[in-house]
Amino acid sequence: MSRQTRRLWVIINYLSIIFLLSFFYTGKYLNWTVFVFIGEAASLLLFVFSFIKGFIKTHLWRMSHTSTKNLDERQLQVLLNSLKYSYTIFTIITLIIIYGFAVAELGPIDVVIAGCLLYVSHTLPAAIIGWKEKVI
Amino acid sequence: MYYICSMRSRKMYNRVAILRQEKGMSRKELAEKIGVNFQTVGYLEREEYNPSLDLAFRISENFGLPIEFIFSTEPLKPLIEEIIHLKNKLGEL
């Protein structure tokens, strides 16, 4: 899979999370209409499909979750670099969400957003590797 | 006090690709012998990755050649030119 295609699947995957959250909160705070329900289901399908295409089939998930003993020096260097970037990006995302909730007086973040953040924290190093590296 | 020193790594040139081809080895075979992923051999051959000293020694041991014959910080001459140069040098001695 080319780097461009990998990047595309990563973007689709993270966009699907935004769609999932948007439809979920529309349903929760407004109304669970048929349109919202179909949108939520479609987003979920897109999320699963893009995860398989972008992270599983490309072996990105395996590379970022395997023991460091199974990686050679270049792969280790790539992984450490991606962890450095993902730490910064994840901190910024989390702080924006927490401060956003505080400013908008929405209370503490709920379990759905916490779950999404957990997913992002796990996939971000793999996404960065997929984004930056020519060959995996 | 903590000093920050910015040491930018230099581009490292190598003869890994030509030596591997001369030995009739695939990237996978070389990778197995030197204990890295085969993609890493590709990165080395394209000179997109500078190996550690340990890996450079493992490569030189695998080819049975001195390390300076395989790696250089300056663009490497074709092998035949290098051999002629070495022969002339030995002749002078």
Side-chain angles (χ1 to χ4, degrees):
Chain A
M1 191 185 283
S2 71
R3 182 160 58 172
Q4 293 299 324
T5 321
R6 253 186 283 136
R7 284 178 172 180
L8 189 70
W9 282 118
V10 166
I11 291 169
I12 291 171
N13 188 252
Y14 287 143
L15 277 177
S16 72
I17 297 174
I18 294 169
F19 293 150
L20 259 174
L21 287 172
S22 305
F23 282 113
F24 177 78
Y25 286 111
T26 307
K28 189 181 173 186
Y29 290 112
L30 297 174
N31 195 14
W32 279 103
T33 60
V34 179
F35 170 74
V36 173
F37 191 77
I38 290 170
E40 183 76 353
S43 305
L44 190 67
L45 276 175
L46 185 67
F47 167 72
V48 174
F49 187 69
S50 59
F51 174 74
I52 293 166
K53 288 291 272 184
F55 293 102
I56 304 290
K57 295 241 169 163
T58 52
H59 305 294
L60 281 170
W61 180 264
R62 200 175 61 184
M63 187 177 167
S64 61
H65 284 80
T66 191
S67 164
T68 51
K69 286 175 193 165
N70 301 328
L71 301 172
D72 67 32
E73 57 176 51
R74 183 192 63 83
Q75 290 173 312
L76 208 57
Q77 197 176 308
V78 166
L79 182 66
L80 292 177
N81 220 17
S82 75
L83 286 170
K84 185 185 82 180
Y85 280 113
S86 60
Y87 174 76
T88 311
I89 295 167
F90 182 73
T91 307
I92 292 166
I93 293 170
T94 311
L95 284 177
I96 287 170
I97 290 171
I98 290 171
Y99 281 120
F101 265 66
V103 168
E105 292 177 350
L106 292 168
I109 59 164
D110 61 14
V111 72
V112 180
I113 288 187
C116 287
L117 282 175
L118 191 69
Y119 172 78
V120 171
S121 73
H122 267 274
T123 53
L124 212 48
I128 290 165
I129 295 170
W131 193 271
K132 287 181 76 183
E133 292 303 301
K134 274 186 192 168
V135 188
I136 305 295
Chain B
M1 191 178 280
Y2 181 73
Y3 292 99
I4 298 168
C5 53
S6 59
M7 195 196 81
R8 292 203 133 252
S9 59
R10 291 180 290 178
K11 185 176 169 68
M12 197 78 81
Y13 300 89
N14 70 67
R15 289 194 173 106
V16 174
I18 198 140
L19 291 170
R20 177 182 64 78
Q21 282 160 10
E22 261 186 15
K23 285 227 171 190
M25 291 165 88
S26 68
R27 279 184 180 169
K28 220 169 183 173
E29 283 169 334
L30 177 63
E32 277 168 22
K33 284 199 171 180
I34 59 175
V36 294
N37 185 282
F38 77 97
Q39 306 279 20
T40 302
V41 175
Y43 273 89
L44 277 169
E45 291 185 353
R46 291 191 299 274
E47 293 164 347
E48 290 173 353
Y49 172 68
N50 289 352
S52 68
L53 197 56
D54 176 38
L55 181 56
F57 269 109
R58 270 186 278 158
I59 292 166
S60 76
E61 281 160 16
N62 180 71
F63 291 122
L65 290 166
I67 204 160
E68 64 271 20
F69 197 78
I70 305 171
F71 296 97
S72 172
T73 52
E74 284 165 24
L76 289 155
K77 292 177 208 159
L79 265 177
I80 191 76
E81 268 185 47
E82 192 80 41
I83 291 163
I84 291 167
H85 176 73
L86 280 172
K87 252 187 169 180
N88 291 341
K89 242 185 169 180
L90 283 170
E92 282 170 19
L93 292 171

